């Protein structure tokens, strides 16, 4: 599926903010509703029909001392995924316009559907989404969507750390939480139930 980006084509380093009025200060993070509860059910059903792999770290290394989760990758050209991809594309464009103003070029990675279970105290310790090499090195804006009703699991909070004081992100089902990909964040251990989430990264030239 061809994606149309509201932010146009990027070139060179990012003089962020670059597309919003003078004096605009980009936010640390923001959130908004991306999917309905019924749509979240449909997305989680994809996980139940497909084989999953252990979640790795940013540069592909897997260690359960830092991360315990299972993931599947959702490709744009998959007919079951096209509507999800289109919704995420629109959400990222709107969020970037309203809250960040980053120079972005598009999505260079597939969508990640993640499952954290209480059976192995699923978690992902403090990390940044920006890698030191390869495609993750150009990640700029992260969007993660809560797919599970918060009443169906315990623990599993998404926490963001901008200045040394962690902030817990909203848990409402279908809510997308967006933040610069260099932000330190974690998913706390799930102590009961199962937590599902979607993650998509938008890429672009490096910050200056």
């Amino acid at each position: 599926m061809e994606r149309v980006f509201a932010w146009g084509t990027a070139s060179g380093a990012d003089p962020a903010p670059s597309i919003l009025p003078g004096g605009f200060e980009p936010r640390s993070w923001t959130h908004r509703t991306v999917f309905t509860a019924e749509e979240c059910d449909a997305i989680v059903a994809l996980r139940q029909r497909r084989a999953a792999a252990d979640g790795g770290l940013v540069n592909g290394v897997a260690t359960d001392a830092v991360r315990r989760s299972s993931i599947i990758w959702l490709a744009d050209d998959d007919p079951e995924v096209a509507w999800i991809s289109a919704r995420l594309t629109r959400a990222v464009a709107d969020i970037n316009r309203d809250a960040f103003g980053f120079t972005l070029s598009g999505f260079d990675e597939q969508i990640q559907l993640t499952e954290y279970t209480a059976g192995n105290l699923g978690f992902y310790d403090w990390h940044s989404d920006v890698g030191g090499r390869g495609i993750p090195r150009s990640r700029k804006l992260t969007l993660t969507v809560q797919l599970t009703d918060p009443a169906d699991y315990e623990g599993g909070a998404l926490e963001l750390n901008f200045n040394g004081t962690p902030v817990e992100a909203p848990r409402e089902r279908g809510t997308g939480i967006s933040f610069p990909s260099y932000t330190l964040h974690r998913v706390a251990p799930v102590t009961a139930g199962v937590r599902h989430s979607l993650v998509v990264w938008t890429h672009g030239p490096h910050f200056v």
Side-chain angles (χ1 to χ4, degrees), residues 3 5 7 76 85 88-90 92-93 105-110 200-203:
R3 298 199 191 183
F5 303 111
W7 49 77
D76 291 347
S85 178
L88 292 172
T89 299
R90 183 70 265 165
V92 168
S105 57
F107 302 85
D108 296 334
E109 298 173 86
Q110 295 178 347
V200 65
W201 301 279
T202 318
H203 301 75

Side-chain angles (χ1 to χ4, degrees), residues 46-126:
L46 291 177
R47 162 66 187 90
Q48 297 165 346
R49 295 197 299 270
R50 303 183 183 201
D54 290 339
L57 307 186
V58 172
N59 285 321
V61 177
T63 170
D64 63 7
V66 179
R67 182 181 189 182
R68 289 196 292 270
S69 65
S70 60
I71 62 172
I72 63 172
W73 295 100
L74 305 178
D76 291 347
D77 56 0
D78 184 330
E80 289 190 297
V81 176
W83 69 274
I84 302 171
S85 178
R87 185 72 60 80
L88 292 172
T89 299
R90 183 70 265 165
V92 168
D94 291 344
I95 287 168
N96 189 52
R97 181 197 63 223
D98 295 343
F100 296 102
F102 294 159
T103 300
L104 302 174
S105 57
F107 302 85
D108 296 334
E109 298 173 86
Q110 295 178 347
I111 302 161
Q112 185 180 112
L113 174 53
T114 309
E115 179 180 272
Y116 300 90
T117 67
N120 65 351
L121 286 178
F123 78 107
Y124 196 168
D125 209 352
W126 291 106

Side-chain angles (χ1 to χ4, degrees), residues 1 47 49 75 89 100 145 152 157 168 198:
M1 182 189 71
R47 162 66 187 90
R49 295 197 299 270
T89 299
F100 296 102
V145 183
D152 292 340
E168 183 172 325
L198 275 183

Side-chain angles (χ1 to χ4, degrees), residues 26-39:
R27 300 180 193 173
S28 299
W29 66 288
T30 189
H31 66 92
R32 67 183 63 195
T33 300
V34 179
F35 296 106
T36 67
E38 293 75 16
E39 290 169 336

